[in-house]
Amino acid sequence: MATIDDVAREAGVSISTVSYALSGKRSISPSTRLRVEAAATKLGYLPHASARMLAANRSDIIAVTTPLHPDTDQSAHMTFTMEVTKAARDVDYDTVLLVHNDAVEGMKRSAATSLADGIIVLDVDAHDERAVLARQLKCPVVFIGIPADTTGLVCVDLDFEAAAVMAIDRLVAAGRTNIALISHPTETIDRESNFPLRFLHAFEGHAASLGLDAITVNPTEHRAHEAIDAIMTRMPNLNGLVLNTTSDIAGSVSAALAEYGRKVPTDVGVIAAGVTFSTHRFPVPFDTIPLDAHASCTTAVAMLVDLIENHASLPERTLIPPSYIEHGSVTPATVAKTSKAT
Amino acid sequence: MATIDDVAREAGVSISTVSYALSGKRSISPSTRLRVEAAATKLGYLPHASARMLAANRSDIIAVTTPLHPDTDQSAHMTFTMEVTKAARDVDYDTVLLVHNDAVEGMKRSAATSLADGIIVLDVDAHDERAVLARQLKCPVVFIGIPADTTGLVCVDLDFEAAAVMAIDRLVAAGRTNIALISHPTETIDRESNFPLRFLHAFEGHAASLGLDAITVNPTEHRAHEAIDAIMTRMPNLNGLVLNTTSDIAGSVSAALAEYGRKVPTDVGVIAAGVTFSTHRFPVPFDTIPLDAHASCTTAVAMLVDLIENHASLPERTLIPPSYIEHGSVTPATVAKTSKAT
DNA sequence: CTGTTAGCGCGTTCAC
DNA sequence: GTGAACGCGCTAACAG
């Protein structure tokens, strides 16, 4: 409501003095600054958003594209969108949402009209059309997720490869060398969503390099039973299980194992890796290597702001090192019932 | 990149002619309009967002506040946020997200800086601080959800009372008069989230008016077993069940009933009412009276735009009539095993 | 170094 | 169909 004019009048100074006093872009004597600040507070002055955008040639808005694939976990999208928004607010940016069929058109529009200063891309496919677009836009873009070709892009993600290695190493360290992976449903893999494949390949590669004959399964259902059936058939002496899959499937793993008389963690050590959901509410909580939305989004936003404000030159790929959260679902195979490992 | 100046020069007309030709706010002779349009297309002209906002004194942006209560269903939030965004795009508005602790401050900021033309409020509590704020803001606000006091507000929601009545009537029509309601977890009720209470009260009121001694349960867990235990103890001859609860609980109802040897729909007819989730993936899909995010959000956005563009005077409460989707979980009690009802 | 004056950014819209 | 005055804040250039 109040304009910079009102504040200037109230403080008895010129408009530009108000601007400088409030932005701090030039030094102003303490006395006048205080008067200006007092006037601004008194009048509840906040600069008109569009006027500031036009004059400063910046909107302080970040656009977020979140395509909604029917198979992907809605709550995971929500988490990332919210985390980006919170991270953006922490550095004084707002976020506009560019949804699904509007994603590509929205990116163009946002860049062409200078609606947003930069763009965050979520839920990235291996071959994502938004990657092609990002290369032609002069508007800064940061991807959360890694497409197949990262040339000329800036991408942030959990180091899924390291997470897969960490999961195997933890199980092996606990003496569990008959290991299986339940990966994502086939429909997700088929879409070439990028991280399930990265995890799967790293898992198989690391297992092979250790001489383990680990097996992997991609379920078609939304519960674990089918996957566990397949695993138990091929590997009856299973004692380590890695879950890089949906919460529906992970949540029913304990029940599916129980049908074979196998318990977690005594018979089978279980690690959920590269997942956004928490296993707190599961019958048995699992050790988790989280796909930490907070970390990814905070990093991505910080990088985008660096691009916007400093025209920074950033690496194509920034991989966030995995962390390990223990919940007691991986105990040493031989002394499982007696004590914790040393 | 291209400005209105470039288009004017390219088309050989004045700036204002370009503006009128493209906005359609005044009639322009077809020949010049075509030249202007051709020039605009050729140059890929789109008006600079902040310039248009400043000149038109409208941002074509709608703010959406979505506080994140730890107990509420993330995917439900996602659904509503996305539906609002899609509905807004359909009428040429973008959406900015105002998140959680930022919700109240964000509403003030958005209104004071004219960042957004209007505000949509999601996840409304019975006593929501945002209702108080909305009354002082001159910025149009529409609530999706109904707070206790709607004076001076504009609110949209499913008619939960009608949904409760519909659920009971359906069960009664199928000859199922021993009816129980599984309501939301106590933590949600305690927060006075508004709709679970509205549903609960309508359920109890309608049951009483029909002379049924229906019972209601508020679970504390995230699965149905506890609730079913409580119901079966008090009403061993249960034959109708209404679910106005979370997807976790609804999803385990069939299993919990099975522990008492009761099957759906032969022994117990089940209706999920006022819920956002789908029961497609449940072991037995349930008849559903959906809390249709699409309908609510489309209506809310249409009303908000009406407020913004026409300063419309709208009713405090707009209740969306419930609809009923059959999945075969309510069959007549006496002929359940033989045929469908007539 | 502090404060002021003046022009700019880009569309919209009113008056001619 | 056109010229020009806005809308509001930022900032370079200038003066004290």
Side-chain angles (χ1 to χ4, degrees):
Chain A
M1 212 60 264
T3 73
I4 198 171
D5 260 313
D6 302 324
V7 179
R9 202 169 310 123
E10 176 77 24
V13 294
S14 75
I15 291 176
S16 61
T17 304
V18 174
S19 180
Y20 286 127
L22 295 181
S23 74
K25 294 199 175 178
R26 252 182 57 177
S27 51
I28 294 287
S29 72
S31 66
T32 54
R33 159 178 301 161
L34 286 176
R35 255 186 312 131
V36 170
E37 283 169 356
T41 308
K42 177 180 172 189
L43 301 179
Y45 167 75
L46 285 180
H48 189 94
S50 10
R52 189 171 43 72
M53 290 181 204
L54 181 59
N57 202 27
R58 303 179 51 227
S59 65
D60 287 3
I61 290 175
I62 291 173
V64 183
T65 82
T66 67
L68 296 181
H69 299 286
D71 64 309
T72 48
D73 209 341
Q74 293 246 322
S75 67
H77 279 307
M78 183 62 175
T79 306
F80 277 87
T81 305
M82 290 300 162
E83 287 296 338
V84 167
T85 301
K86 285 195 268 179
R89 281 305 310 147
D90 287 342
V91 289
D92 284 318
Y93 281 78
D94 280 296
T95 49
V96 300
L97 237 54
L98 270 22
V99 192
H100 126 279
N101 52 22
D102 187 49
V104 166
E105 186 273 336
M107 281 176 72
K108 285 184 195 161
R109 184 170 54 84
S110 152
T113 65
S114 302
L115 172 61
D117 296 333
I119 302 174
I120 296 270
V121 179
L122 298 181
D123 192 29
V124 179
D125 285 357
H127 300 97
D128 201 300
E129 51 182 341
R130 294 169 297 175
V132 179
L133 180 55
R135 294 192 186 93
Q136 9 197 71
L137 257 35
K138 45 176 287 182
C139 174
V141 182
V142 172
F143 289 74
I144 297 185
I146 315 242
D149 178 6
T150 57
T151 312
L153 306 179
V154 176
C155 311
V156 179
D157 208 352
L158 171 67
D159 191 338
F160 280 94
E161 289 81 359
V165 168
M166 180 184 271
I168 291 180
D169 288 348
R170 279 280 185 153
L171 289 171
V172 170
R176 298 171 180 276
T177 51
N178 302 312
I179 302 177
L181 164 68
I182 300 182
S183 178
H184 281 265
T186 44
E187 53 183 334
T188 306
I189 300 285
D190 290 346
R191 213 189 71 225
E192 296 201 295
S193 188
N194 76 100
F195 70 84
L197 286 174
R198 282 157 53 205
F199 192 94
L200 190 103
H201 293 153
F203 179 89
E204 292 176 341
H206 190 59
S209 79
L210 294 180
L212 307 174
D213 67 335
I215 63 179
T216 62
V217 183
N218 290 102
T220 57
E221 299 179 350
H222 293 277
R223 51 210 294 269
H225 299 69
E226 165 206 22
I228 295 295
D229 289 344
I231 291 169
M232 294 306 289
T233 304
R234 292 165 56 193
M235 186 183 268
N237 57 346
L238 174 81
N239 63 5
L241 186 59
V242 178
L243 308 174
N244 176 239
T245 191
T246 66
S247 87
D248 286 343
I249 294 171
S252 50
V253 157
S254 292
L257 284 172
E259 294 187 2
Y260 289 85
R262 318 299 300 268
K263 296 182 87 167
V264 180
T266 39
D267 302 313
V268 181
V270 179
I271 299 175
V275 299
T276 52
F277 55 84
S278 149
T279 67
H280 279 81
R281 289 182 180 169
F282 288 7
V284 182
F286 300 144
D287 283 20
T288 304
I289 301 173
L291 198 186
D292 184 348
H294 178 75
S296 305
C297 294
T298 303
T299 303
V301 167
M303 292 176 74
L304 183 60
V305 170
D306 203 18
L307 287 173
I308 294 169
E309 299 182 358
N310 313 319
H311 304 281
S313 169
L314 298 174
E316 290 181 2
R317 298 167 187 238
T318 300
L319 297 178
I320 296 178
S323 60
Y324 194 95
I325 301 172
E326 298 193 14
H327 288 300
S329 67
V330 178
T331 52
T334 48
V335 294
K337 292 229 160 186
T338 50
S339 71
K340 296 228 168 190
T342 49
Chain B
M1 210 63 264
T3 71
I4 199 171
D5 261 313
D6 303 323
V7 179
R9 202 169 308 124
E10 176 76 24
V13 294
S14 74
I15 290 175
S16 58
T17 305
V18 174
S19 179
Y20 286 127
L22 296 180
S23 72
K25 294 198 176 177
R26 255 181 52 178
S27 52
I28 296 285
S29 74
S31 66
T32 55
R33 159 178 299 160
L34 285 176
R35 257 188 308 132
V36 169
E37 283 169 358
T41 309
K42 176 181 173 187
L43 301 178
Y45 166 76
L46 285 180
H48 190 93
S50 8
R52 190 169 44 70
M53 289 182 207
L54 181 58
N57 200 30
R58 303 180 49 227
S59 64
D60 286 5
I61 290 176
I62 290 173
V64 183
T65 81
T66 67
L68 296 180
H69 299 285
D71 64 308
T72 49
D73 208 342
Q74 292 245 322
S75 67
H77 280 306
M78 184 61 172
T79 306
F80 276 87
T81 306
M82 290 300 163
E83 287 296 337
V84 167
T85 300
K86 284 195 268 180
R89 280 308 307 148
D90 287 343
V91 289
D92 284 319
Y93 281 78
D94 280 296
T95 50
V96 300
L97 238 54
L98 270 22
V99 190
H100 111 291
N101 52 20
D102 187 49
V104 167
E105 185 272 336
M107 281 176 71
K108 284 184 196 162
R109 186 171 52 85
S110 154
T113 65
S114 302
L115 172 61
D117 295 332
I119 302 173
I120 295 272
V121 178
L122 298 180
D123 194 28
V124 179
D125 285 358
H127 301 99
D128 201 299
E129 51 182 341
R130 295 170 296 174
V132 179
L133 181 55
R135 293 191 186 93
Q136 8 196 75
L137 256 36
K138 45 176 284 182
C139 175
V141 182
V142 171
F143 289 74
I144 297 183
I146 314 243
D149 178 7
T150 57
T151 312
L153 306 179
V154 176
C155 311
V156 179
D157 208 353
L158 171 66
D159 190 337
F160 280 94
E161 289 82 359
V165 168
M166 179 184 272
I168 290 180
D169 287 348
R170 279 280 184 154
L171 290 171
V172 170
R176 298 170 180 278
T177 51
N178 302 312
I179 302 177
L181 165 67
I182 301 182
S183 178
H184 281 265
T186 45
E187 54 184 331
T188 307
I189 299 286
D190 291 345
R191 214 190 70 227
E192 296 202 295
S193 187
N194 77 101
F195 70 84
L197 287 175
R198 282 157 52 206
F199 192 94
L200 191 102
H201 294 154
F203 179 89
E204 292 177 340
H206 190 58
S209 79
L210 294 180
L212 307 175
D213 67 334
I215 62 180
T216 63
V217 183
N218 289 101
T220 57
E221 299 179 349
H222 293 277
R223 51 208 293 268
H225 298 70
E226 165 208 20
I228 295 295
D229 288 345
I231 291 168
M232 295 306 288
T233 304
R234 292 165 55 195
M235 187 183 270
N237 57 345
L238 174 82
N239 63 5
L241 186 59
V242 177
L243 307 173
N244 176 238
T245 190
T246 67
S247 88
D248 287 343
I249 294 171
S252 49
V253 157
S254 292
L257 284 173
E259 294 186 2
Y260 289 85
R262 318 298 299 268
K263 298 183 85 166
V264 180
T266 39
D267 302 312
V268 181
V270 179
I271 300 174
V275 299
T276 53
F277 54 84
S278 148
T279 67
H280 279 81
R281 290 181 180 171
F282 289 7
V284 181
F286 300 144
D287 282 21
T288 304
I289 301 172
L291 199 187
D292 184 349
H294 178 75
S296 306
C297 294
T298 303
T299 304
V301 168
M303 292 174 73
L304 183 59
V305 169
D306 203 17
L307 287 173
I308 294 170
E309 300 182 357
N310 311 320
H311 305 281
S313 168
L314 298 174
E316 290 182 2
R317 298 167 186 237
T318 300
L319 298 178
I320 296 178
S323 60
Y324 194 94
I325 301 172
E326 298 193 14
H327 288 300
S329 67
V330 179
T331 51
T334 47
V335 295
K337 290 228 161 185
T338 51
S339 71
K340 296 231 170 184
T342 50

